[in-house]
Amino acid sequence: MKLRKDFKDVAIVNHTGGIEYISVMHPDFFGFRPEELVGKKFTQVYTNIDEESSTFMRAINYGERYMDYTQTLELLDGRRLSQAEDIYLIRNGEDVVGAIEFARYDEKTYLLKPDKIKNNSDSDESFCLENIIGSCPEIREIKRKVSKIVDR
């Protein structure tokens, strides 16, 4: 399995769904700064998801896997965003310790159709994992764990 390169945002949550890390390509689009979300849950960020409907929580609690899954999220200001996402579990041995999401969306129209997603790997709007989350020791360890998941 290969990691897509056309994602715009990445988020990492812990086993309770608490946001540990988030990087968004267009923070003004969402109306928040990423650092404001660390420690919160996405159920506190989007008005139309709860613990049972959150893809992060379903992945963590039930081992569900999401690849090119499209969901519509309602932002706090009422705007709706459809995004395609890939969610991978992060494990420590057999224990699920969190999950990582790579999301794609069209911020110009707030509407995304999975069959219209294009690979932007040659454009300025595409970036690699290192550009998004850096390379401090903690992030290198997360990337090592993620690479084990992706290579399965």
Side-chain angles (χ1 to χ4, degrees), residues 17-32:
I19 299 168
E20 295 286 332
Y21 177 85
I22 184 167
S23 177
V24 295
M25 185 176 273
H26 304 289
D28 292 339
F29 170 70
F30 288 98
F32 60 74

Side-chain angles (χ1 to χ4, degrees), residues 10-109:
V10 63
I12 299 172
V13 299
N14 61 31
H15 70 284
T16 67
I19 299 168
E20 295 286 332
Y21 177 85
I22 184 167
S23 177
V24 295
M25 185 176 273
H26 304 289
D28 292 339
F29 170 70
F30 288 98
F32 60 74
R33 292 188 332 261
E35 59 273 11
E36 296 171 330
L37 299 183
V38 173
K40 293 184 180 181
K41 293 184 175 188
F42 280 105
T43 55
Q44 297 171 284
V45 177
Y46 300 114
T47 61
N48 65 327
I49 60 171
D50 57 25
E51 292 287 323
E52 187 59 33
S53 63
S54 164
T55 51
F56 267 125
M57 294 313 298
R58 293 190 64 79
I60 291 167
N61 291 333
Y62 307 116
E64 294 179 4
R65 189 165 169 196
Y66 294 93
M67 301 298 293
D68 284 328
Y69 180 80
T70 300
Q71 77 172 336
T72 300
L73 302 168
E74 188 168 309
L75 302 169
L76 295 175
D77 65 6
R79 290 178 298 143
R80 295 174 72 80
L81 163 74
S82 290
Q83 72 175 20
E85 59 192 22
D86 298 345
I87 295 182
Y88 300 91
L89 293 177
I90 301 172
R91 295 181 183 271
N92 184 7
E94 293 299 313
D95 297 329
V96 174
V97 296
I100 184 167
E101 172 197 68
F102 300 96
R104 300 170 306 287
Y105 53 85
D106 183 347
E107 71 278 1
K108 293 180 181 94
T109 64

